[in-house]
């Protein structure tokens, strides 16, 4: 177990934990004032001098110096525990060498522990600090609606702009965009450097961790955030295990054409490879079609990943499938999918 303890225990601590319900804040200025102390900038040498700006990690010359004078990159993070635990994106941590965390008060800290889950693009990092102000993650079951107002905080483009706020709405939900899990779409401006920062509702709760945006000629205000339920799923396991014990079906799947381009579809998933003894034992074969997982329709790989968040490796699920022309049910013991997590100890 990581230093700092299990997340469920954390939530009961005197600091309030990240599962406490925030008091209503209601106005953008009040949200900014309340949450800015909980947001940090993360800066260091760029791991890749050719860093893609669309990744959400800003890479540029040092502020106040000619562009290119220093090969720096930066992102954003959210404090979730008073003794130094911070959420950010996996690609922020991966994109910066020897990162330095800078708080809203201007204090600088080195990261002494980092735990990365690339599959979700979530990272949990620690700095040796006390008395920090943690943000509040939205409680389980919080309803997010398309059209509700949101605020994004972060460090866009230049590190001198840390603490910037943008306002917008939730533009869409359940978006499957180059990600393992469903994302929140927002028109609140999310620029390179905003990655890892919070998307906040009007109660001042973190409903998402800003992850990426589309950058192209003619494309504006198209940003995406990792929803709070996925964030909670990942960091609970990072606190408890140092990695995510993610279940898998033990097969490779191919989506139907409609699902791949985002059309409404009832097309099943096709098994293209059977990779685990448990899938072989269940009688699953290449070419089989999967329609339902525990009676929930699944038409995309993201659908499967979302459903598997409810389970642990070793548990059994039921698949409704077409095999050899017949509709059958298969009982499958979930495997351990150990891809995507990485941990580092004291630096």
């Amino acid at each position: 177990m990581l230093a700092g303890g299990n997340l469920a225990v954390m939530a009961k601590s005197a600091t309030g934990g990240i599962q406490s319900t925030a008091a209503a804040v209601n106005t953008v200025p009040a949200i900014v004032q309340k949450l800015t102390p909980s947001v940090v900038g993360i800066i260091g040498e760029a791991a890749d001098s050719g860093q893609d700006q669309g990744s959400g990690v800003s890479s540029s010359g040092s502020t106040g110096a000619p562009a290119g004078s220093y090969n720096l990159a930066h992102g954003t993070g959210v404090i979730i525990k008073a003794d130094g635990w911070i959420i950010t994106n996996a690609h922020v941590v991966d994109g910066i060498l020897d990162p330095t965390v800078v708080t809203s008060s201007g204090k600088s800290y080195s990261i002494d522990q980092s735990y990365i889950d690339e599959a979700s693009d979530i990272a949990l990092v620690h700095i040796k600090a006390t008395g920090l102000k943690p943000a509040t993650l939205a409680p389980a079951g919080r309803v997010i609606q398309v059209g509700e107002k949101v605020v994004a905080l972060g460090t866009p483009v230049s590190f001198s702009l840390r603490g910037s706020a943008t306002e917008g709405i939730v533009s869409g939900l359940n978006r499957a965009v180059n990600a393992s899990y469903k994302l929140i779409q927002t028109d609140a401006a999310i620029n390179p450097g905003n990655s890892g920062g919070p998307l906040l509702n009007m109660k001042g709760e973190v409903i998402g961790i800003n992850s990426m945006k589309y950058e192209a000629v003619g494309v504006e205000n198209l940003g995406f955030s990792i929803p709070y339920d996925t964030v909670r799923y990942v960091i609970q396991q990072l606190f408890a295990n140092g990695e995510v014990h993610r279940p898998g079906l033990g097969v490779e799947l191919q989506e139907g054409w409609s699902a791949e381009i985002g059309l409404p579809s009832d097309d099943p998933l096709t098994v293209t490879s059977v990779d685990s003894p448990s899938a072989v034992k269940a009688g699953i074969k290449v070419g089989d079609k999967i329609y339902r997982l525990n009676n929930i329709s699944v038409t995309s790989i993201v659908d499967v990943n979302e459903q598997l968040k409810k389970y642990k490796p070793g548990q059994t699920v039921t698949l409704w499938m077409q095999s050899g022309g017949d509709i059958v049910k298969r009982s499958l013991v979930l495997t351990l999918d150990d891809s995507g997590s990485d941990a580092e100890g004291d630096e």
Side-chain angles (χ1 to χ4, degrees):
M1 182 178 292
L2 290 177
N6 186 282
L7 192 60
V9 176
M10 269 177 42
K12 300 177 182 178
S13 69
T15 62
I18 68 169
Q19 293 187 5
S20 301
T21 302
V25 180
N26 297 326
T27 69
V28 174
I31 289 171
V32 174
Q33 182 178 9
K34 180 178 180 180
L35 272 299
T36 292
S38 302
V39 180
V40 301
I42 303 174
I43 190 169
E45 181 182 354
D48 178 5
S49 59
Q51 188 83 275
D52 180 4
Q53 294 287 313
S55 70
V57 179
S58 185
S59 180
S60 64
S62 177
T63 303
S69 296
Y70 301 100
N71 183 26
L72 299 178
H74 71 266
T76 306
V78 185
I79 298 166
I80 58 165
K81 198 166 185 290
D83 63 356
W85 288 103
I86 295 166
I87 302 173
T88 185
N89 285 141
H91 75 259
V92 169
V93 178
D94 285 340
I96 300 174
L97 302 176
D98 298 322
T100 296
V101 173
V102 181
T103 66
S104 63
S105 64
K107 292 184 178 180
S108 299
Y109 301 88
S110 296
I111 293 174
D112 66 334
Q113 296 180 71
S114 62
Y115 300 87
I116 299 170
D117 183 60
E118 292 182 353
S120 65
D121 196 25
I122 289 293
L124 184 65
V125 301
H126 183 263
I127 59 176
K128 292 180 179 177
T130 58
L132 301 178
K133 183 177 180 182
T136 301
L137 198 66
R142 172 69 73 214
V143 175
I144 302 173
Q145 295 182 314
V146 174
E148 73 171 277
K149 187 182 292 187
V150 290
V151 176
L153 298 180
T155 313
V157 183
S158 169
F159 202 66
S160 65
L161 301 180
R162 62 186 183 278
S164 292
T166 55
E167 177 188 5
I169 62 169
V170 172
S171 303
L173 298 170
N174 301 323
R175 301 306 199 201
V177 184
N178 297 327
S180 297
Y181 299 102
K182 293 179 179 179
L183 301 174
I184 300 169
Q185 179 187 337
T186 180
D187 69 348
I190 297 174
N191 293 294
N194 275 117
S195 279
L199 187 70
L200 304 158
N201 63 15
M202 298 308 290
K203 295 179 180 292
E205 299 166 335
V206 178
I207 62 168
I209 296 296
N210 299 322
S211 181
M212 62 180 173
K213 67 171 291 187
Y214 271 115
E215 285 191 334
V217 175
V219 177
E220 296 182 1
N221 299 341
L222 191 58
F224 296 91
S225 295
I226 304 166
Y228 72 90
D229 59 338
T230 298
V231 175
R232 177 177 281 108
Y233 166 75
V234 171
I235 64 174
Q236 281 179 334
Q237 295 205 48
L238 293 180
F239 270 113
N241 310 311
E243 60 184 359
V244 179
H245 293 169
R246 183 176 281 108
L249 299 180
V251 300
E252 296 292 329
L253 299 171
Q254 181 178 348
E255 298 173 344
W257 179 80
S258 296
E260 283 192 358
I261 66 172
L263 288 174
S265 172
D266 293 325
D267 294 344
L269 293 156
T270 302
V271 177
T272 59
S273 176
V274 180
D275 302 327
S276 73
S278 62
V280 172
K281 184 177 181 180
I284 298 173
K285 299 179 177 63
V286 172
D288 286 356
K289 312 283 188 182
I290 298 178
Y291 287 87
R292 290 176 173 269
L293 193 161
N294 276 5
N295 210 28
I296 303 295
S297 176
V298 288
T299 61
S300 70
I301 293 171
V302 167
D303 283 345
V304 172
N305 291 341
E306 286 288 337
Q307 291 304 313
L308 290 180
K309 289 193 299 188
K310 304 173 184 177
Y311 304 99
K312 297 178 180 179
Q315 291 185 310
T316 300
V317 297
T318 300
L319 300 176
W320 273 253
M321 309 182 65
Q322 182 181 358
S323 181
D326 298 321
I327 300 298
V328 297
K329 290 195 291 186
R330 305 289 195 203
S331 293
L332 174 68
V333 177
L334 297 173
T335 61
L336 173 64
D337 180 357
D338 57 3
S339 63
S341 291
D342 188 24
E344 297 180 4
D346 295 345
E347 296 181 347

